[in-house]
C-alpha cells in the first residue's frame, strides 16, 4: 500500500479510477480504516468518471498512530466537557483536516471534490471552511455540525460504539464488531451473517487498534462545533443522511444543510449509519451528479468578427 508523508505524519492511501479524472477525496469516520469504505460504492464512483482517493486517518489503520500519548480517558474527558472546561487531546479535527490537504498536496491535486462520512463529515466541513480554494464540492454523509442541543444517538448505539471487547481474542473482537454493525446498520438492508463476518474479519486482520478510537473521540470533543464556519462555506454542498441513523439522528444532517448556504439535503429511507450494498449505486449516482454539477462549463472561445 502506498504511503504519503504529509502534515508531519505518514498516511496510508489508495486510489481507484482513472488518474486523469477529477479527484474525490473520501474521509472515513471514527476509528475506521480505509477498508471500511464499501468497495461497491468506491467502484461506482470511479465508474462515474471520478478518481477516488481513500486513506487511513491518523491513529487508524496503517497511518501514523499516537500511541506514545497514551490511552484516552474518555470518562474523565466527558466529565471535563460537562463542567464546561476544555478537553485535552493529542490532536484536533483541524489537524485531521490538514492531513487531508497534505495528502492532496502529496498527490499533486490542486483542487478536489471532498466527501466525509460521520467523523469524516466533520473533517470535510473544516476542509471546505478553511481551504476554500482546494474544494470543488463537498458531500457530508451521516454527520453533524456538533451544535449543542441536537438530538443524541440512541443509548444502545452509543454504548455499542464506545464499549470494547472483553478480551483480545480474535473471535471475541469479531463478534463484538459484528454486533456493533448490526446495531448501527441500516434496518431495511441487513447484510447476511457470512458477508458481514467477511467484512469485519478483513478489517480486524488488517489492524485492530482500539486505542486510536479513544484519541479520535477526544479530538471530536476538543474541537467544538462548526456552526459559524458552516455559514461561510461556498462550495456546492450535498448532505446525505439515513432516516434510521441510530448514532446521529437525521436532524443532525438537516442542521448541516440548513447552515451551509444553498446546501441540498437528501434523506434516505431505511438507511442507518452505514453504506449497505443495496444503496451504493444510488448513493454514488447522487454524489457523482452533485460533483458534475459543481464543475463550471469550459468557457467557449468567442467567434471571430
Amino acid at each position: 500500500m502506498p504511503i504519503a508523508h504529509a502534515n508531519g505524519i505518514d498516511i496510508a492511501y489508495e486510489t481507484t479510477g482513472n488518474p486523469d479524472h477529477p479527484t474525490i477525496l473520501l474521509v472515513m469516520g471514527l476509528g475506521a480504516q480505509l477498508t471500511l469504505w464499501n468497495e461497491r460504492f468506491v467502484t461506482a464512483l470511479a465508474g462515474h468518471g471520478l478518481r477516488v482517493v481513500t486513506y487511513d486517518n491518523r491513529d487508524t489503520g496503517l497511518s501514523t498512530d499516537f500511541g506514545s500519548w497514551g490511552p484516552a480517558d474518555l470518562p474523565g474527558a466527558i466529565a471535563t466537557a460537562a463542567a464546561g472546561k476544555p478537553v485535552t487531546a493529542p490532536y484536533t479535527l483541524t489537524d485531521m483536516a490538514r492531513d487531508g490537504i497534505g495528502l492532496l498536496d502529496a498527490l499533486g491535486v490542486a483542487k478536489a471534490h471532498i466527501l466525509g462520512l460521520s467523523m469524516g463529515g466533520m473533517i470535510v466541513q473544516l476542509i471546505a471552511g478553511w481551504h476554500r480554494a482546494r474544494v470543488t464540492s463537498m458531500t457530508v454523509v451521516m454527520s453533524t455540525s456538533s451544535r449543542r442541543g441536537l438530538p443524541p444517538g440512541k443509548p444502545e448505539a452509543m454504548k455499542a460504539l464506545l464499549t470494547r471487547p472483553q478480551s483480545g481474542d480474535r473471535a471475541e473482537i469479531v463478534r463484538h464488531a459484528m454486533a456493533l454493525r448490526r446495531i448501527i446498520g441500516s434496518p431495511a438492508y441487513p447484510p447476511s451473517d457470512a458477508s458481514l463476518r467477511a467484512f469485519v474479519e478483513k478489517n480486524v486482520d488488517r489492524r485492530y487498534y482500539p486505542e486510536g478510537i479513544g484519541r479520535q473521540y477526544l479530538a471530536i470533543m476538543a474541537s467544538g462545533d462548526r456552526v459559524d464556519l458552516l455559514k461561510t462555506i461556498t462550495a456546492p454542498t450535498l448532505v446525505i443522511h439515513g432516516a434510521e441513523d441510530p448514532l446521529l439522528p437525521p436532524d443532525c444532517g438537516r442542521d448541516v444543510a440548513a447552515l451551509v448556504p444553498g446546501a441540498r439535503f437528501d434523506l434516505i429511507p431505511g438507511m442507518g449509519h452505514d453504506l449497505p450494498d443495496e444503496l451504493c449505486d444510488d448513493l454514488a449516482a447522487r454524489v457523482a451528479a452533485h460533483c458534475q454539477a459543481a464543475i463550471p462549463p469550459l468557457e467557449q472561445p468567442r467567434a471571430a468578427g
Side-chain angles (χ1 to χ4, degrees), residues 66-133:
F66 285 71
S68 60
W69 196 83
D73 175 14
L74 291 183
I78 291 170
T80 298
K85 299 178 181 179
V87 172
T88 301
Y91 49 83
T92 66
L93 294 181
T94 298
D95 295 309
M96 300 181 79
R98 291 179 180 137
D99 293 344
I101 289 294
L103 177 58
L104 291 178
D105 289 342
L107 296 176
V109 178
K111 196 169 185 178
H113 304 281
I114 55 175
L115 181 153
L117 185 151
S118 196
M119 181 187 72
M122 304 175 197
I123 293 169
V124 298
Q125 292 167 36
L126 293 168
I127 293 175
W130 294 115
H131 304 275
R132 297 183 188 178

Side-chain angles (χ1 to χ4, degrees), residues 41-97:
F41 179 67
V42 172
T43 300
L45 286 175
H48 283 288
L50 293 166
R51 179 203 188 196
V52 185
V53 177
T54 58
Y55 68 101
D56 290 334
N57 283 311
R58 60 170 61 198
D59 241 350
T60 305
L62 306 184
S63 291
T64 296
D65 67 54
F66 285 71
S68 60
W69 196 83
D73 175 14
L74 291 183
I78 291 170
T80 298
K85 299 178 181 179
V87 172
T88 301
Y91 49 83
T92 66
L93 294 181
T94 298
D95 295 309
M96 300 181 79

Side-chain angles (χ1 to χ4, degrees), residues 35-274:
T35 46
L36 261 81
W37 287 109
N38 189 309
E39 292 180 4
R40 182 167 177 173
F41 179 67
V42 172
T43 300
L45 286 175
H48 283 288
L50 293 166
R51 179 203 188 196
V52 185
V53 177
T54 58
Y55 68 101
D56 290 334
N57 283 311
R58 60 170 61 198
D59 241 350
T60 305
L62 306 184
S63 291
T64 296
D65 67 54
F66 285 71
S68 60
W69 196 83
D73 175 14
L74 291 183
I78 291 170
T80 298
K85 299 178 181 179
V87 172
T88 301
Y91 49 83
T92 66
L93 294 181
T94 298
D95 295 309
M96 300 181 79
R98 291 179 180 137
D99 293 344
I101 289 294
L103 177 58
L104 291 178
D105 289 342
L107 296 176
V109 178
K111 196 169 185 178
H113 304 281
I114 55 175
L115 181 153
L117 185 151
S118 196
M119 181 187 72
M122 304 175 197
I123 293 169
V124 298
Q125 292 167 36
L126 293 168
I127 293 175
W130 294 115
H131 304 275
R132 297 183 188 178
R134 307 297 299 274
V135 178
T136 307
S137 76
M138 176 173 74
T139 301
V140 177
V141 184
M142 59 186 82
S143 194
T144 179
S145 68
S146 298
R147 184 205 295 264
R148 285 185 176 272
L150 287 171
K154 293 181 178 179
E156 61 270 25
M158 295 302 298
K159 180 180 179 181
L161 180 69
L162 297 176
T163 301
R164 296 290 159 257
Q166 295 181 349
S167 76
D169 178 71
R170 180 180 182 274
E172 172 63 17
I173 293 169
V174 169
R175 184 205 63 76
H176 179 273
M178 290 179 67
L180 168 63
R181 299 201 69 81
R182 289 285 188 201
I183 290 171
I184 69 174
S186 300
Y189 307 100
S192 68
D193 282 344
S195 63
L196 181 58
R197 178 175 293 279
F199 181 75
V200 164
E201 289 180 338
K202 173 184 68 174
N203 287 285
V204 168
D205 291 341
R206 184 172 183 260
R207 192 182 188 195
Y208 175 66
Y209 191 61
E211 273 194 23
I213 298 173
R215 289 188 290 268
Q216 288 184 353
Y217 201 81
L218 286 183
I220 294 172
M221 296 180 67
S223 297
D225 69 56
R226 293 162 297 284
V227 172
D228 291 337
L229 183 66
L230 286 168
K231 297 174 183 178
T232 71
I233 288 177
T234 57
T237 297
L238 170 64
V239 179
I240 296 174
H241 215 100
E244 307 298 330
D245 192 327
L247 278 179
L248 293 171
D251 280 352
C252 295
R254 288 193 183 95
D255 190 57
V256 173
L259 289 167
V260 178
R264 190 181 97 207
F265 180 69
D266 284 4
L267 186 66
I268 311 299
M271 179 177 164
H273 203 79
D274 67 345

